[in-house]
Amino acid sequence: MNEKIESLKARFKEKMASVNQKEALEQLRVSFMGKKGEFTALLKDMKDMQEGVRKQFGQLVNCAKMDFERAILEKAREIEAAEIAKKTESEWVDITWPEEPLQGSAHPLSIVRAELEDLFTSLGFDIMDGPEMEEEYFNFNALNIPEDHPARDSQDTFWLKNGKLLRSQTSPVQIRGMLAKKPPIKFVSPGKTYRNEAVDASHEHSFHQCEGLVIDKGITVSHLVFTLQQIISSIFGEEVEIRLRPSFFPFVEPGFELDFKCRICKGKGCSVCKQTGWIEYLGCGMVHPQVLKNCGIDPEIYSGFAFGGGIERLAMMKYGIDDIRHFHGGDLRFLKQF
Ligand code: DAH
């Protein structure tokens, strides 16, 4: 009798070894444990057995049945775990990973600023930094703009509770530079500036300027014209015509407004240049003798030129951007183009 059980066990073990699917396992279960299965066949023999033998045989059969059930359960778990592992592998989704890898790029203002820094340093200029939270004295008074001067009105200023202000121009860095260095002085200072202005397509409350200052013996307007002509042409990658118009800024004398030939219509006149053929670009001039004196520099010995222009304007012209608000809008469709 025992041999029958042993051979049943052996067959079960052998078949079990080759099962690796739910369906096959179920078939195996039915063929052994089912109503018409091997165990049932085995038990049929019991009725002819003697009392004692039958009892012993019954115990052995029950034991074997329990072992088989446990083995089938374990196999079922194994198969399920393998299926889950397979699914996890094939349907793997990393929800933290963007659909298409996002590649960052430099902001157009950073590109133009970096180009300006490269170009100016190639002409021997230093780069100088100044604070955005500035003293009234540096932003205005030392630049010949005393408290009651109407020039203050043209720069709607953000005043701070601590008595300082958000610089309305990068020109205060001229003063800081002249106080910190001895002539010859030659630097540019690109950076952020602020004005309390209504925002529209060409005005922002926060924008960028690039200031420049050169102080040495014998500096004239020709040096100013040459430098700016070189820089503006390099930014646009071809010779660009510029012109100076007389203008007033309290810290330069004479003072000029610098225009360049409209890049859109090449000077014929269009809506961008308001039909004039020229784009008004920056303020510049020869440093006022009083400003030199304010900084301890003798105007009888030294002269210099200064200029300051918006970086947004330049970037808009270079890339054909029609609205200044795009720069701070954070729209990826805009930013991806650079
Ligand atoms: N700071 C002036 C402004 O924001 C621009 C300017 C004009 C800068 C003349 C200069 C300059 O350095 O010489 O309107």
Side-chain angles (χ1 to χ4, degrees):
M1 277 301 134
N2 289 359
E3 299 88 74
K4 279 198 169 178
I5 296 181
E6 287 310 313
S7 89
L8 187 69
K9 279 185 183 171
R11 258 181 293 134
F12 181 81
K13 204 172 166 192
E14 191 192 313
K15 291 207 166 155
M16 194 61 147
S18 63
V19 166
N20 54 13
Q21 270 180 336
K22 257 191 212 163
E23 297 73 27
L25 183 65
E26 177 59 11
Q27 266 175 21
L28 183 90
R29 191 189 67 79
V30 171
S31 70
F32 280 87
M33 332 283 276
K35 254 188 202 159
K36 293 177 186 160
E38 304 248 17
F39 270 103
T40 314
L42 208 58
L43 292 173
K44 269 184 191 151
D45 298 341
M46 279 176 77
K47 62 179 188 306
D48 304 325
M49 290 178 187
Q50 285 175 350
E51 181 68 31
V53 180
R54 185 162 63 198
K55 197 176 169 197
Q56 199 196 0
F57 183 74
Q59 276 173 354
L60 284 174
V61 169
N62 275 340
C63 260
K65 213 174 171 185
M66 267 155 60
D67 285 350
F68 284 20
E69 270 164 357
R70 199 178 309 122
I72 289 172
L73 209 68
E74 261 169 32
K75 188 65 146 191
R77 284 204 194 109
E78 255 174 49
I79 292 174
E80 194 170 1
E83 272 177 7
I84 290 175
K86 206 171 145 192
K87 253 192 178 168
T88 324
E89 189 59 38
S90 64
E91 296 175 12
W92 187 85
V93 177
D94 182 356
I95 54 164
T96 64
W97 193 252
E99 206 178 316
E100 79 186 66
L102 285 179
Q103 193 169 12
S105 58
H107 191 279
L109 290 177
S110 306
I111 297 174
V112 173
R113 178 183 171 153
E115 274 181 24
L116 284 170
E117 291 184 1
D118 275 357
L119 291 168
F120 276 112
T121 46
S122 75
L123 291 181
F125 283 72
D126 291 332
I127 311 283
M128 211 184 141
D129 221 2
E132 292 173 23
M133 183 171 73
E134 186 54 284
E135 311 277 346
E136 177 182 1
Y137 177 76
F138 290 121
N139 196 79
F140 291 128
N141 308 59
L143 289 163
N144 262 353
I145 314 173
E147 205 174 328
D148 52 357
H149 198 288
R152 286 205 181 190
D153 296 344
S154 68
Q155 301 193 1
D156 246 334
T157 307
F158 286 111
W159 292 91
L160 304 176
K161 283 198 179 126
N162 62 6
K164 297 188 182 187
L165 48 81
L166 292 182
R167 65 178 180 188
S168 58
Q169 50 185 349
T170 41
S171 302
V173 190
Q174 286 188 35
I175 304 300
R176 290 181 175 273
M178 282 189 273
L179 290 174
K181 298 167 188 260
K182 285 196 164 40
I185 296 170
K186 198 173 173 188
F187 69 83
V188 286
S189 184
K192 230 173 181 181
T193 45
Y194 304 87
R195 287 188 200 174
N196 191 1
E197 284 189 320
V199 172
D200 63 24
S202 43
H203 297 88
E204 264 282 12
H205 46 71
S206 314
F207 53 103
H208 297 76
Q209 288 190 338
C210 183
E211 196 76 15
L213 180 70
V214 173
I215 309 277
D216 204 348
K217 290 175 183 162
I219 297 293
T220 69
V221 176
S222 312
H223 296 112
L224 166 69
V225 171
F226 172 80
T227 305
L228 292 177
Q229 214 271 328
Q230 288 294 304
I231 296 290
I232 292 172
S233 296
S234 300
I235 285 283
F236 291 118
E238 63 183 26
E239 185 97 359
V240 178
E241 213 179 310
I242 64 167
R243 72 175 186 189
L244 294 184
R245 282 178 294 115
S247 186
F248 175 73
F249 301 97
F251 40 97
V252 281
E253 180 56 39
F256 310 102
E257 197 86 51
L258 179 143
D259 303 339
F260 59 79
K261 259 279 170 67
C262 179
R263 307 284 307 147
I264 311 291
C265 63
K266 308 279 179 212
K268 289 195 191 75
C270 68
S271 61
V272 175
C273 59
K274 300 187 190 113
Q275 310 305 331
T276 63
W278 293 91
I279 301 289
E280 271 182 37
Y281 181 49
L282 55 68
C284 55
M286 300 306 292
V287 181
H288 197 288
Q290 186 57 48
V291 174
L292 291 176
K293 279 188 207 160
N294 292 345
C295 301
I297 295 173
D298 187 348
E300 297 297 328
I301 303 174
Y302 292 104
S303 60
F305 69 79
F307 58 89
I311 299 183
E312 277 81 354
R313 292 284 306 279
L314 205 54
M316 286 168 85
M317 271 289 141
K318 182 176 165 82
Y319 295 118
I321 300 166
D322 60 0
D323 193 319
I324 196 170
R325 289 168 291 196
H326 286 312
F327 289 118
H328 292 170
D331 189 332
L332 288 181
R333 289 169 302 179
F334 170 73
L335 294 171
K336 272 183 178 169
Q337 298 173 62
F338 302 96

